[in-house]
Amino acid sequence: HRHLLGIEQLSQSDITTLLDLADTYAERNRQPNKHSDALRGLTQINMFFENSTRTQASFEIAGKRLGADVMNMAMQASSIKKGETLIDTAMTLNAMHPDLLVVRHPQSGAVDLLAQKVNCAVLNAGDGRHEHPTQALLDALTIRRAKGRLHRLSIAICGDIAHSRVARSNILLLGKMENRIRLVGPPTLMPSQIDQFGVEVFDDMKKGLEGVDVVMMLRLQKERMDGGFIPSEREYYHRYGLDAEKLAHASPDAIVMHPGPMNRGVEIDGTLADDINRSVIQDQVEMGVAVRMAAMDLLARNHVAAQPSVA
Ligand code: CP
């Protein structure tokens, strides 16, 4: 692959190859010397048109650990503010010969469009409600390490599915790896074309969590609700917030996940989120660096191989 735009384009074997490499980086990241030369001499530019803590920090750390020259574009201070378009901005940066562009954008499809215009490898760091492929890959690695496998698991994805690129990428990835997926949440927060996903749908948390191996919570994404469905947080927590009582319906060794940023007391009980016997939320963050190292390493190998040789 030239780019990493979504899970949609990846095969089961692409996913396994990437997770296997990420596993080796996860081990290396726990050693005192975390550095390698995999991206030495390459230039990575991070362009985040939407807020981020985890994704931006981990892509920057990942690039630096692999020896890339990493530049973070401060989009708030860029000429986007003077009316320059996304494509003109990308073409301007493209003319500086970057090797890797990491892009987050509020509009679905914006990153795919940009990838068609530039010469370098593009990694989607989240586009609108479309895809967040590295999030699904880091979730998959976290599940595989906690459960010892990534197939034939029963996985509940809970909450605001309709507005979630994380849910969409996870449904695609976990489906490709042959897991049973349940979507749990209010009908108003379910995507309209739910049938195409091959999942079971529940609007009752206790029924939806019955016997599952993995409980994946999502944030209420008010920034994408267009003034539509905004539930009272208290009522939402009562019905759909994960606490010990609702979790008791899942398998006794079920793990609890949340991509972050989380709203304690809205979609998840704070004590449960911090319970290291059940919650793998910090592992997800740790695996984020490893997965992004693996993704950039693999793309850079293809990218360098595709360059014309200098006579
Ligand atoms: N999970 C995630 O994408 O978090 P950030 O928005 O902080 O990057």
Side-chain angles (χ1 to χ4, degrees):
H1 296 272
R2 191 163 160 233
H3 307 294
L4 176 58
L5 300 176
I7 299 299
E8 199 160 5
Q9 297 87 355
L10 301 184
S11 67
Q12 204 180 70
S13 112
D14 291 333
I15 293 165
T16 303
T17 301
L18 195 148
L19 296 184
D20 289 347
L21 180 60
D23 235 341
T24 68
Y25 279 125
E27 294 311 317
R28 184 194 282 251
N29 284 341
R30 291 182 175 180
Q31 305 300 317
N33 182 6
K34 303 162 177 55
H35 288 268
S36 96
D37 282 341
L39 300 185
R40 194 153 64 113
L42 301 187
T43 301
Q44 171 191 340
I45 302 181
N46 298 333
M47 299 167 73
F48 279 68
F49 295 89
E50 239 187 23
N51 292 350
S52 171
T53 296
R54 281 146 284 271
T55 313
Q56 215 236 285
S58 59
F59 263 117
E60 181 176 354
I61 289 171
K64 286 181 172 162
R65 284 198 185 152
L66 296 177
D69 297 316
V70 185
M71 201 265 275
N72 289 303
M73 274 296 294
M75 299 320 300
Q76 297 301 325
S78 74
S79 287
I80 288 272
K81 293 282 164 204
K82 300 177 191 165
E84 192 165 40
T85 66
L86 167 68
I87 297 302
D88 285 341
T89 305
M91 293 310 288
T92 300
L93 294 174
N94 188 54
M96 301 179 197
H97 297 293
D99 302 283
L100 296 149
L101 263 185
V102 178
V103 186
R104 170 171 287 191
H105 198 277
Q107 280 177 301
S108 304
V111 183
D112 290 43
L113 186 70
L114 188 149
Q116 291 166 26
K117 306 280 182 187
V118 298
N119 301 323
C120 61
V122 175
L123 293 100
N124 183 358
D127 64 323
R129 61 176 80 174
H130 176 227
E131 281 236 35
H132 192 351
T134 55
Q135 179 70 46
L137 288 160
L138 74 87
D139 290 338
L141 185 59
T142 306
I143 294 169
R144 196 173 82 166
R145 287 168 69 102
K147 291 282 160 199
R149 67 180 200 274
L150 189 60
H151 60 277
R152 280 189 287 112
L153 292 166
S154 180
I155 299 166
I157 305 177
C158 309
D160 180 3
I161 316 282
H163 301 100
S164 177
R165 57 194 176 208
V166 175
R168 197 163 179 284
S169 290
N170 264 300
I171 292 165
L172 289 168
L173 190 156
L174 296 168
K176 281 177 197 248
M177 304 312 279
E178 295 168 15
N179 297 283
R180 288 185 298 278
I181 303 169
R182 297 171 168 202
L183 304 183
V184 190
T188 43
L189 293 179
M190 286 291 159
S192 48
Q193 290 160 329
I194 203 86
D195 296 343
Q196 72 190 34
F197 293 119
V199 295
E200 284 182 278
V201 179
F202 296 83
D203 68 359
D204 180 278
M205 277 290 272
K206 290 177 182 172
K207 287 184 187 147
L209 297 191
E210 200 62 55
V212 301
D213 303 300
V214 176
V215 182
M216 188 182 287
M217 302 307 299
L218 298 169
R219 182 174 62 86
L220 278 180
Q221 289 146 103
K222 292 184 176 172
E223 72 274 24
R224 292 192 207 111
M225 288 188 190
D226 311 325
F229 181 86
I230 300 187
S232 129
E233 291 187 350
R234 184 201 283 257
E235 175 68 8
Y236 184 81
Y237 182 65
H238 176 67
R239 293 195 57 188
Y240 297 102
L242 187 67
D243 56 14
E245 195 193 328
K246 295 191 188 88
L247 183 62
H249 291 259
S251 170
D253 60 356
I255 55 169
V256 172
M257 308 180 74
H258 194 303
M262 67 181 157
N263 294 302
R264 292 167 183 262
V266 179
E267 62 259 355
I268 190 164
D269 169 59
T271 308
L272 183 54
D274 296 334
D275 178 0
I276 54 166
N277 294 314
R278 304 308 295 272
S279 165
V280 294
I281 294 171
Q282 295 305 323
D283 302 303
Q284 290 173 265
V285 178
E286 182 184 356
M287 292 311 121
V289 178
V291 154
R292 287 163 181 135
M293 289 171 83
M296 290 196 291
D297 183 351
L298 290 171
L299 286 180
R301 289 180 206 183
N302 291 344
H303 175 62
V304 171
Q307 293 291 311
S309 59
V310 181

